[in-house]
Amino acid sequence: GVLQFAREERTHKWPCSLRDVVFRSVRLTAAFSEQHGTRLVPEVPEESPWAHANPTQLEQAIVNLVRNAIESGAS
């Protein structure tokens, strides 16, 4: 996924709720977060914007950012 992003290859995109993407990302990182003694508490407005994007790629980016933040805070 990262290589595809770096190469700027075209991907399929569709309207997606950024709120839903954030909450799915938090669910995906919940176990990792707990293993490192942290808890994620997302604060996203109920009426968050929508984006024309690939939600899977957005989730990958958010998950990577969250994991990196947790790992850097654990050292």
Side-chain angles (χ1 to χ4, degrees), residues 21-42 58-71:
V21 170
V22 168
F23 279 102
R24 278 193 304 271
S25 301
V26 168
R27 280 194 301 274
L28 289 169
T29 55
F32 182 81
S33 175
E34 289 175 14
Q35 290 171 351
H36 287 81
T38 60
R39 191 175 123 227
L40 301 173
V41 181
L58 289 177
E59 286 170 19
Q60 285 178 334
I62 294 169
V63 165
N64 288 336
L65 288 170
V66 168
R67 288 178 61 102
N68 289 344
I70 290 169
E71 287 174 345

